[in-house]
Amino acid sequence: MNVGKESVISDEKINAAAVPGGDLPMLTIAIPCYNEENILDANYRTLKETCEAQGMPYEIIFGNDGSADRTLEMIEGFAAADQQVRVTSHFPNRGAGFTYREMWQVARGEIIIHMDADLAMPAEVALPTLLAALKDGADLAVGSRYVGIKAEYPLKRVIFSRGYTMLTRLLFNLDVVDTQTGFIGFHKRILPALDPRSDGFEILVEFIAQANEAGFRVAEVGIPWIHDTTSGETEVWSESIKMLAGTMRVKRRFGRFKRERRKNER
């Protein structure tokens, strides 16, 4: 997997990561964080309880994305007190995609589950639901606000989300209703076949589109969504402009990704 010139991730590191002592956790929970000090204590406890309930070896990776508050101090405190917690960090803020790739570099689990730090999809529902989809044969499971679910979501966000769905279906021929929740799970073995380079939130549609194009089985599963602004609220319209620009860059790279795959298959 080529993850871009500014990342140090490599196929070798992805495949060789191992827990000290030789045990390989089956599950990695990866949480990107940007200025999350108001919610981290409670949500860390929720994640721990939820992971313990699965009866699987696990680790939790918090990825600090250049936070300006106490986020880094807090997650380093979790890691100092809990050997199942690990931290990645960089400065300045680079975006969710850059943070994802840093976490992939050090992930030890055979299954990686991404969740947003706000746990807008409750961890006690999202984690077993995504794991069940992977157990049922999916290579990539995508948490959805709209598949059999009525999301608690402001109207302007619903409008943007639905419009973005139409755009991604047109650009990438995707049969996925909701690409942007940030709650996904996948088998780590699919990473070397993909080449997601986005630094922003558009990495989600890039990742899903590439997995679909590469022939991996993608399952979309409905999970309840709770809109909570405790950790801050994104300005929808300005963020939408950035997302659209980033998505058009993804489209150009996606064309190259398809051509390269077809050339290699000859």
Side-chain angles (χ1 to χ4, degrees):
M1 179 181 67
N2 183 347
V3 292
K5 63 183 180 181
E6 296 186 61
S7 174
V8 294
I9 306 171
S10 68
D11 293 353
E12 291 76 14
K13 288 185 177 180
I14 287 171
N15 293 325
V19 175
D23 295 327
L24 183 67
M26 190 172 180
L27 178 63
T28 293
I29 308 297
I31 311 290
C33 300
Y34 178 64
N35 293 343
E36 311 288 3
E37 64 177 7
N38 293 334
I39 60 173
L40 277 172
D41 271 328
N43 288 357
Y44 162 60
R45 290 193 297 271
T46 297
L47 285 167
K48 283 287 294 183
E49 292 170 3
T50 303
C51 287
E52 292 288 344
Q54 306 314 305
M56 301 168 61
Y58 71 91
E59 65 177 358
I60 301 171
I61 301 176
F62 290 102
N64 176 53
D65 183 17
S67 297
D69 63 359
R70 294 180 55 245
T71 291
L72 180 58
E73 174 189 343
M74 293 175 72
I75 60 179
E76 286 182 335
F78 300 155
D82 184 347
Q83 64 179 0
Q84 289 165 308
V85 174
R86 304 169 69 212
V87 172
T88 66
S89 184
H90 56 261
F91 290 94
N93 172 256
R94 297 297 304 270
F98 190 91
T99 307
Y100 281 12
R101 293 194 298 273
E102 277 195 334
M103 291 189 288
W104 295 341
Q105 172 185 311
V106 300
R108 296 166 173 168
E110 296 164 313
I111 293 173
I112 298 175
I113 304 288
H114 276 288
M115 300 186 196
D116 281 353
D118 61 3
L119 300 184
M121 287 182 166
E124 62 272 21
V125 180
L127 180 53
T129 300
L130 293 169
L131 286 174
L134 296 172
K135 183 178 180 180
D136 287 344
D139 299 301
L140 167 62
V142 180
S144 175
R145 292 164 286 196
Y146 305 124
V147 173
I149 295 289
K150 183 175 175 58
E152 299 178 20
Y153 219 39
L155 179 60
K156 64 181 180 179
R157 287 184 169 273
V158 172
I159 292 171
F160 170 70
S161 180
R162 293 295 196 179
Y164 191 73
T165 294
M166 293 174 62
L167 177 65
T168 56
R169 285 189 166 189
L170 177 66
L171 294 179
F172 305 106
N173 193 32
L174 274 180
D175 189 25
V176 174
V177 175
D178 194 7
T179 61
Q180 295 306 117
T181 64
F183 288 73
I184 64 172
F186 56 92
H187 295 280
K188 188 172 69 173
R189 57 176 166 73
I190 77 173
L191 283 174
L194 308 180
D195 187 22
R197 301 189 184 193
S198 299
D199 282 350
F201 287 112
E202 64 273 11
I203 195 172
L204 290 164
V205 71
E206 183 174 25
F207 189 85
I208 296 166
Q210 288 189 4
N212 184 64
E213 173 66 22
F216 294 114
R217 182 181 171 192
V218 180
E220 186 173 13
V221 291
I223 302 173
W225 177 278
I226 301 169
H227 184 64
D228 186 354
T229 60
T230 303
S231 64
E233 175 74 307
T234 301
E235 210 297 306
V236 174
W237 302 117
S238 63
E239 189 63 32
S240 299
I241 293 170
K242 289 168 58 178
M243 277 283 296
L244 289 172
T247 301
M248 296 315 295
R249 289 192 294 271
V250 168
K251 173 58 177 175
R252 290 192 293 272
R253 287 196 298 270
F254 186 62
R256 293 193 292 269
F257 177 80
K258 290 197 295 183
R259 290 192 296 273
E260 188 66 25
R261 275 189 52 79
R262 289 166 186 167
K263 183 174 69 174
N264 292 338
E265 288 171 355
R266 290 174 188 161

